[in-house]
Amino acid sequence: MASNFDLQETLERAVDLWESLPKAAHWALAGIGAIYVARGVLSFVQLFLTCFVLSGTNLRKYGKKGTWAVVTGASDGLGKEFAHQLAAKGFNLVLVSRTQSKLDALARELTLRWSGFQAKTLAMDYSKDDDADYERLAELISGLDVGILINNVGQSHSIPVPFLETSRDELQNIVTINCLGTLKTTQIVAPILTKRKRGLILTMGSFAGYMPTPYLATYSGSKSFLQHWSSSLAAELKPQGVDVEFVISYLVTTAMSKIRRTSLLIPSPKPFVRSVLGKVGLGWTEKFTNTYTPWWSHAIFKWAIENTVGATSGITVWFNRRMHLDIRARALRKAEREAKKKL
Ligand SMILES: NC(=O)c1ccc[n+]([C@@H]2O[C@H](COP(=O)([O-])OP(=O)(O)OC[C@H]3O[C@@H](n4cnc5c(N)ncnc54)[C@H](OP(=O)(O)O)[C@@H]3O)[C@@H](O)[C@H]2O)c1
């Protein structure tokens, strides 16, 4: 009863206060409310248009048939799909990843499939951070008309793991591959793009970098690092005719995610990469400049979080923590079952 009375008293005071305000203040407050609602509606319309209606920048802006694209982490998952779709669009490819045999097989498959297609391959292990590898990359692309760089290579934790239990190797590899590898590759390729005064640099981000992700802390930090780096670089290279875009993605069915079955929220690489290449530059609803979330359900999910609890709020991080603790528990149980089978 006491709390009902308090509520009634509070409401009465609020009404009294409202009535005591001058007319101009009523209009000002109504205006602020209208702007707030209009912003929400506009943002939803922008989301709808980017997801379902508009196409992004045509890749022809970056080069005619036969222009080269460099794809890192090209032999599997999203990188392999980038290679297939860029080759289908008439780009020649420089394919980079660790395993020469996989790169050769992919290059052969694409050469047989697309007439006039050319590929160059480079087997390098980004985790080694070996200067000689970067020199070989520079040599391989020197003289090529490169128009596109896809910074796709990346490593996550093998399973969600407390930061304090993360092995030195895993920690070192994630930062070296995701951060240093992307930066050093870009320093080699970007000068070709700036010289020809047009080009595209796409870097793969992740929901894990967009929102703090407990138990994937190092991976989360590495992708967040790339977000700031990419948006900064975009502003530096824009005057030189180079578009730099950061791609935010939730899960996709690849070896990295360890998810095989697609769902409303988890596409396979083919439609996902089609959306990445088809929606370049459509980042109206993004917090960061030169960033986009190409897959429609990822974009809606992200928009809903941003417009309710917030991407970096305590409640979001708490849910994320619970989710990754569950994933860790399941992964540990699976590892235990497999170990028993081997006995
Ligand atoms: N899949 C997802 O759910 C998801 C979600 C958000 C963001 N992403 C991001 O998307 C990108 C691609 O992920 P993915 O799922 O396609 O990964 P993936 O299926 O594990 O493929 C990784 C690719 O990178 C190569 N690679 C791995 N380690 C390497 C190293 N040390 N040096 C050189 N190449 C290496 C692998 O080939 P080799 O083994 O032959 O080297 C393979 O071609 C990553 O940046 C990832 O963070 C993925």
Side-chain angles (χ1 to χ4, degrees), residues 72-80 96-100 102-103 124-128 151-156 177-178 204-208 219 223 226 247-259 266 269 272 298:
T72 67
S75 57
D76 212 342
L78 302 184
K80 189 172 181 181
V96 186
S97 80
R98 268 176 311 196
T99 321
Q100 187 64 57
K102 287 200 224 166
L103 292 171
M124 69 179 270
D125 183 344
Y126 275 99
S127 71
K128 302 261 188 288
N151 280 320
N152 167 75
V153 73
Q155 185 185 312
S156 184
I177 296 167
N178 299 6
M204 279 306 301
S206 166
F207 260 54
Y219 178 69
K223 291 293 184 180
L226 287 177
V247 178
I248 295 186
S249 166
Y250 188 60
L251 295 167
V252 183
T253 57
T254 65
M256 178 185 280
S257 68
K258 300 190 181 74
I259 296 174
I266 308 177
F272 175 77
H298 296 174

Side-chain angles (χ1 to χ4, degrees), residues 122 132-143 188 192:
L122 175 64
D133 284 330
Y134 289 105
E135 278 160 26
R136 287 195 299 138
L137 176 61
E139 222 169 89
L140 192 67
I141 64 169
S142 105
I188 290 168
I192 301 180

Side-chain angles (χ1 to χ4, degrees), residues 99-252:
T99 321
Q100 187 64 57
S101 56
K102 287 200 224 166
L103 292 171
D104 288 343
L106 178 60
R108 211 168 26 247
E109 183 185 346
L110 294 174
T111 311
L112 287 173
R113 177 132 192 232
W114 303 106
S115 82
F117 171 81
Q118 294 177 57
K120 290 177 185 281
T121 61
L122 175 64
M124 69 179 270
D125 183 344
Y126 275 99
S127 71
K128 302 261 188 288
D129 189 32
D130 187 342
D131 284 349
D133 284 330
Y134 289 105
E135 278 160 26
R136 287 195 299 138
L137 176 61
E139 222 169 89
L140 192 67
I141 64 169
S142 105
L144 297 182
D145 179 37
V146 179
I148 295 178
L149 166 62
I150 311 281
N151 280 320
N152 167 75
V153 73
Q155 185 185 312
S156 184
H157 301 270
S158 56
I159 65 168
V161 58
F163 175 72
L164 297 183
E165 291 173 29
T166 308
S167 74
R168 276 280 169 84
D169 270 0
E170 188 168 84
L171 186 152
Q172 172 97 18
N173 287 347
I174 289 172
V175 174
T176 308
I177 296 167
N178 299 6
C179 302
L180 269 185
T182 300
L183 268 56
K184 289 186 173 183
T185 301
T186 304
Q187 274 202 331
I188 290 168
V189 180
I192 301 180
L193 309 185
T194 55
K195 197 166 168 204
R196 67 202 283 282
K197 294 195 167 38
R198 64 190 169 132
L200 171 68
I201 300 172
L202 276 188
T203 300
M204 279 306 301
S206 166
F207 260 54
Y210 154 76
M211 52 174 71
T213 305
Y215 300 99
L216 295 181
T218 307
Y219 178 69
S220 176
S222 74
K223 291 293 184 180
S224 180
F225 168 94
L226 287 177
Q227 167 75 78
H228 282 256
W229 166 78
S230 179
S231 290
S232 308
L233 184 69
E236 288 186 30
L237 297 189
K238 187 78 195 158
Q240 297 174 68
V242 177
D243 296 336
V244 180
E245 290 285 339
F246 193 67
V247 178
I248 295 186
S249 166
Y250 188 60
L251 295 167
V252 183

